[in-house]
Amino acid sequence: MHDCDGWCILCCGGADIMKCILTVALLGVAVCHLAQAKVMRGEAPADKIFLSKQREVLKLLNKVHEPNRFKDQADLGRSYDPTQHLSKYKNALPVKTLVKQYTSGRLLPRGQIFTLFNDRQREQMITIFESLFYAEDWDTFYRTACYVRDRVNEGQFVYALSVAVLHREDTRGMVLPPAYEVYPHLFVNSDVIHAAYRAKMRQEPARVRMNFTGTVRNPEQRVAYLGEDVGINSHHSHWHMDFPFWWKQDEYGVKKDRQGELFYYMHHQLIARLDLERLSNDLPFVKPLYWEDKIEDGFYPQTTYRVGGEFPARPDNFEFQDLQDIKVKDMVDYTRRIREAISQQSVITRWGQNLPLNDTMGINILGSLVEPSQESPNPQYYGALHNYGHILLGQITDPKGKFDMPPGVMEHFETATRDPAFFRLHKYIDNLFKLHKDMLPPYAREELEFPGVAIQDVTVDDLVTYFEDFDIDLLNALDDTLELKDVEIKARVRRLNHRPFTFSITVNSNQEQMAAVRIFLGPKFDWFGQEIPINEKRLYVIELDKFVAKVNKGATVIQRKSSESSVAIPDRETTKILVRRVDDALQGKATYTVNKDVRHCGYPERLLLPKGKRDGMPFSLFVILTDFDKEKVNDLPWDYDYGGSISYCGTVSGHKYPDSKPMGFPFDRQINSDNFFRSNIYQKDVVITFKDSE
């Protein structure tokens, strides 16, 4: 009888050990259940010091639109003078600049709308961030945070503090409140906010039903549940906190491994996932937009800023307009130059040198160039295709600033996915990445195969999706007065979920070895009901999971739960629950565990599967095994999970991306169906069935 290297109890779970042993005895195979990853994430009980820090961060982010209601922090913020403690900063210039800007009244006032896409506002935010990031120790960081809390714009404060907490060593493992609870206005419709105010005036607890934008007359309404999902919005905004386009890697001393490639792959996967949802709702694949064409579908956000009016709407068939600093012709020229670089497989750097794109790392350079990040080889020549695209769409209805309209949804990462034009913009950009990938040769036989390893069978539980209700706490959306106490008011929205499921992968190997396991899902038929060839299907394949497993000589059954996916993270704890758990731990009533690699970035686990159809919808499932020892990058245990959402969100804390394969391998390059399928690449049909409720 085989075993899982002596860890059958771990891999099958203590409660199921007899079942595990019986299975091994009957089948004569090693049953390796990878659920132990949940146990081995490095979680440990938090000490009092960490708990106190966590509590202070939560207090700082409480009702940020109001003066700090916590007297200890407010008093500290008023009394602390950073200029008297400059030696406590690794780089004192930012905090000196911040104090000077504040005292001279040059900062964005509190109550004004902050957007990262405004150069002046972003530079101010970076000064705030660097003042926090360069603090020598926790005490200086905390005092600086209290100092800026009530002095700077609340939007700049939240973003700067969040990015600092995510990147400082002494705040590793801290959990930030859900973005949709810190700034509910960005995530819920204005009708909900108005109803919430009425309920508060009556001092009555309430749950206000929130509908998606549009009507049944708008076909895009059918997939609004995806773009307007608060989990998607939160994932997108946190990705751009983990990988800010303004991040100075050398100056900050924190490398962003494969940031450009992650920019490409995460957004590519968002588009592919929308395309599968569109097929599930009898809609064709999303079409790219073009700078000189009309934008066919308009968008009415139905959301309002806390101060500053409603988000601008865009009518149907609107055209891109020149802005003061961004011209439509320039966007056409930037695209032409990028296409030339791709066709020549070489980028011209700002120093006039040629940087090759003809290898597996070319996509990382191209991603940095298209966004662009600080790593762009030549932003003056190739422009800022992605960032300028967001700005052009955000200001399309008031390009001259004639009506002083507030920023559009595309000018905030928290709200951008609500607009169907977001996906059309990224389809346009993704086609440039596709052009580059198509220039590379298809994978050779030796790059695809895993000698001595064969997948014998793959089974999976029934795949069932359904809609459910979800409540969003609106506490931070409403103003406080001495006369009106807080009451429980929530927005209730429908959202997609799925039943938990488990993959069972039967593998035969000629020796014991470590295997990298990749699981993908793609459409079987297109909008017209025609079966999609593999070389076209690869463009719409979504990643479900990627992990490492030990396979023994002979047969091994690898089991993997949907809840363990490397793509996704579970629902975020509400702020109230998080505060209560921290307080209970501080009082010794309970244990609070901390994971130093905790991730806020991650696709919602409940959206791992596309919706499917009521009578069942066929999809193509792919499982690929490769030799992990040949692609391993970090000197860490093979089952280290980097916080759990590496596929779209990469790594933090200085780690490199854990494998050297291109993201999306082996579907990122053109496929010759006669040469593609090997014994280590398995395909089967699966069916996803949608039910109205569970």
Side-chain angles (χ1 to χ4, degrees):
M1 184 179 86
H2 300 277
D3 65 12
C4 294
D5 197 28
W7 45 271
C8 193
I9 293 178
L10 275 178
C11 71
C12 293
D16 297 323
I17 182 60
M18 293 308 298
K19 180 179 178 181
C20 175
I21 294 174
L22 181 60
T23 302
V24 173
L26 290 175
L27 299 180
V29 300
V31 181
C32 298
H33 196 320
L34 298 182
Q36 86 279 5
K38 288 289 185 183
V39 181
M40 300 176 68
R41 288 192 176 198
E43 292 186 348
D47 57 25
K48 295 287 186 182
I49 295 175
F50 179 90
L51 290 167
S52 296
K53 293 178 181 179
Q54 175 71 80
R55 188 68 180 94
E56 296 303 333
V57 168
L58 294 175
K59 287 162 59 178
L60 285 165
L61 290 170
N62 178 263
K63 289 186 175 287
V64 292
H65 52 276
E66 298 177 3
N68 197 332
R69 60 171 52 193
F70 296 100
K71 188 175 184 302
D72 56 335
Q73 290 186 346
D75 290 345
L76 181 58
R78 282 189 291 268
S79 63
Y80 182 66
D81 182 357
T83 61
Q84 300 301 309
H85 304 276
L86 296 180
S87 63
K88 302 292 283 183
Y89 297 88
K90 297 173 185 176
N91 179 354
L93 181 59
V95 76
K96 287 169 64 177
T97 302
L98 175 64
V99 173
K100 185 181 296 185
Q101 289 178 338
Y102 170 71
T103 55
S104 62
R106 285 182 286 154
L107 292 176
L108 181 69
R110 289 182 60 81
Q112 297 289 312
I113 299 167
F114 163 65
T115 169
L116 271 173
F117 292 105
N118 181 296
D119 293 344
R120 181 170 175 269
Q121 294 177 10
R122 182 177 66 253
E123 288 304 316
Q124 291 179 0
M125 183 282 302
I126 292 174
T127 301
I128 299 167
F129 160 76
E130 291 177 347
S131 300
L132 295 166
F133 183 71
Y134 284 133
E136 189 73 44
D137 50 37
W138 163 262
D139 185 64
T140 306
F141 167 77
Y142 175 60
R143 290 172 180 272
T144 307
C146 291
Y147 171 84
V148 298
R149 167 63 168 78
D150 289 343
R151 286 182 170 87
V152 305
N153 176 270
E154 58 270 34
Q156 292 175 322
F157 172 75
V158 169
Y159 186 88
L161 180 69
S162 298
V163 177
V165 167
L166 292 170
H167 290 88
R168 283 181 61 91
E169 187 62 30
D170 56 7
T171 51
R172 273 189 67 186
M174 284 194 184
V175 177
L176 297 170
Y180 44 84
E181 291 187 359
V182 176
Y183 262 108
H185 283 76
L186 298 180
F187 298 89
V188 301
N189 296 349
S190 53
D191 287 347
V192 172
I193 299 295
H194 297 326
Y197 268 113
R198 290 194 295 269
K200 181 158 186 176
M201 292 299 292
R202 297 192 302 267
Q203 286 288 278
E204 295 176 356
R207 279 179 170 79
V208 184
R209 173 66 67 180
M210 183 172 77
N211 297 316
F212 298 117
T213 59
T215 67
V216 293
R217 294 186 295 276
N218 179 7
E220 297 299 321
Q221 163 77 5
R222 301 183 209 169
V223 289
Y225 63 84
L226 186 78
E228 297 180 27
D229 185 277
V230 295
I232 295 283
N233 304 154
S234 182
H235 158 67
H236 185 238
S237 64
H238 273 293
W239 190 95
H240 285 280
M241 288 182 182
D242 281 350
F243 298 94
F245 63 83
W246 49 267
W247 189 261
K248 309 165 191 173
Q249 298 195 32
D250 293 335
E251 184 175 325
Y252 297 154
V254 179
K255 296 294 184 181
K256 296 291 181 181
D257 190 44
R258 296 168 72 172
Q259 177 174 349
E261 185 176 9
L262 277 164
F263 171 80
Y264 143 72
Y265 188 61
M266 189 278 287
H267 289 96
H268 167 76
Q269 285 286 290
L270 286 184
I271 302 163
R273 286 184 170 276
L274 177 71
D275 278 332
L276 295 194
E277 298 296 344
R278 293 178 71 87
L279 290 180
S280 298
N281 291 277
D282 299 312
L283 294 172
F285 294 135
V286 66
K287 297 177 181 178
L289 51 71
Y290 296 95
W291 306 122
E292 296 176 299
D293 291 352
K294 292 180 178 179
I295 304 169
E296 183 178 346
D297 294 313
F299 180 60
Y300 177 37
Q302 299 181 20
T303 48
T304 182
Y305 286 103
R306 182 177 185 83
V307 178
E310 290 192 341
F311 281 83
R314 183 186 66 251
D316 287 345
N317 298 309
F318 231 63
E319 296 179 343
F320 282 105
Q321 306 289 320
D322 287 342
L323 305 181
Q324 182 176 347
D325 299 317
I326 306 173
K327 310 301 181 185
V328 175
K329 181 182 179 299
D330 292 339
M331 302 299 283
V332 175
D333 287 341
Y334 293 145
T335 302
R336 175 182 52 77
R337 293 168 188 170
I338 292 170
R339 285 180 172 273
E340 288 174 353
I342 293 170
S343 64
Q344 296 168 6
Q345 295 188 300
S346 178
V347 167
I348 302 172
T349 70
R350 68 190 75 189
W351 299 283
Q353 300 168 324
N354 289 321
L355 191 62
L357 296 176
N358 59 350
D359 58 16
T360 56
M361 291 310 295
I363 188 67
N364 190 58
I365 297 169
L366 195 60
S368 298
L369 181 147
V370 169
E371 185 179 14
S373 70
Q374 289 287 314
E375 305 304 304
S376 172
N378 197 342
Q380 290 75 28
Y381 184 68
Y382 295 107
L385 205 64
H386 165 264
N387 289 355
Y388 287 172
H390 272 261
I391 296 170
L392 282 172
L393 284 165
Q395 299 181 24
I396 196 169
T397 54
D398 189 20
K400 307 301 181 185
K402 181 178 179 180
F403 304 104
D404 196 26
M405 296 179 72
V409 294
M410 288 293 287
E411 293 179 87
H412 302 281
F413 289 128
E414 297 89 343
T415 58
T417 63
R418 295 171 63 89
D419 189 343
F422 168 87
F423 295 96
R424 294 196 61 196
L425 170 66
H426 279 280
K427 175 63 77 78
Y428 176 83
I429 293 171
D430 196 62
N431 283 345
L432 295 175
F433 292 130
K434 176 184 178 296
L435 187 63
H436 161 70
K437 287 286 188 176
D438 287 351
M439 295 287 293
L440 303 176
Y443 289 111
R445 176 175 180 173
E446 57 271 17
E447 294 177 289
L448 292 171
E449 63 186 8
F450 190 0
V453 172
I455 302 175
Q456 302 294 328
D457 189 30
V458 174
T459 61
V460 63
D461 299 330
D462 289 342
L463 303 178
V464 178
T465 65
Y466 56 91
F467 278 117
E468 65 179 7
D469 284 334
F470 175 70
D471 291 342
I472 302 170
D473 195 329
L474 298 179
L475 176 67
N476 284 338
L478 308 176
D479 292 320
D480 278 342
T481 66
L482 295 175
E483 295 78 19
L484 293 176
K485 296 181 179 179
D486 286 332
V487 292
E488 186 173 278
I489 303 175
K490 298 183 178 182
R492 173 160 288 184
V493 64
R494 298 289 280 172
R495 66 178 194 175
L496 189 65
N497 204 339
H498 63 79
R499 289 180 187 170
F501 57 90
T502 300
F503 293 106
S504 294
I505 307 166
T506 304
V507 182
N508 202 306
S509 176
N510 61 0
Q511 61 179 335
E512 181 182 284
Q513 49 195 326
M514 304 306 301
V517 184
R518 293 172 172 84
I519 304 176
F520 295 91
L521 186 76
K524 185 173 178 63
F525 301 107
D526 63 17
W527 186 53
F528 300 102
Q530 302 296 311
E531 187 162 354
I532 306 175
I534 183 68
N535 190 48
E536 181 183 347
K537 184 180 299 189
R538 69 185 178 89
L539 304 174
Y540 309 103
V541 162
I542 60 173
E543 184 173 330
L544 296 183
D545 206 350
K546 178 170 64 176
F547 57 95
V548 181
K550 179 179 289 187
V551 295
N552 292 277
K553 184 176 182 179
T556 305
V557 177
I558 302 170
Q559 292 187 326
R560 179 77 167 183
K561 295 179 180 178
S562 57
S563 59
E564 298 164 333
S565 169
S566 65
V567 167
I569 59 173
D571 276 344
R572 302 287 309 283
E573 271 188 327
T574 67
T575 305
K576 287 180 180 178
I577 291 176
L578 180 59
V579 168
R580 184 171 67 244
R581 291 205 307 115
V582 171
D583 287 345
D584 286 348
L586 280 168
Q587 297 169 22
K589 298 178 182 178
T591 299
Y592 180 95
T593 57
V594 57
N595 177 2
K596 291 295 186 179
D597 290 319
V598 66
R599 300 304 300 274
H600 300 76
C601 173
Y603 201 75
E605 191 276 327
R606 56 189 169 73
L607 294 178
L608 197 59
L609 294 178
K611 175 171 159 280
K613 295 184 176 181
R614 286 182 174 83
D615 54 354
M617 181 174 174
F619 288 86
S620 299
L621 181 72
F622 298 90
V623 179
I624 299 98
L625 268 63
T626 54
D627 189 343
F628 179 65
D629 289 333
K630 291 183 178 179
E631 58 193 74
K632 180 180 179 181
V633 172
N634 297 315
D635 187 20
L636 290 167
W638 62 269
D639 54 358
Y640 193 85
D641 78 341
Y642 302 89
S645 55
I646 58 167
S647 290
Y648 295 174
C649 298
T651 58
V652 291
S653 306
H655 297 306
K656 289 189 174 183
Y657 199 81
D659 69 81
S660 59
K661 293 284 189 187
M663 296 173 197
F665 171 90
F667 295 102
D668 63 310
R669 297 191 191 179
Q670 294 201 68
I671 293 174
N672 181 344
S673 58
D674 296 332
N675 189 52
F676 182 71
F677 289 99
R678 300 288 157 190
S679 63
N680 59 305
I681 299 178
Y682 193 94
Q683 175 185 359
K684 72 174 296 181
D685 291 345
V686 294
V687 174
I688 299 179
T689 304
F690 169 73
K691 296 189 174 182
D692 290 313
S693 60
E694 183 69 352

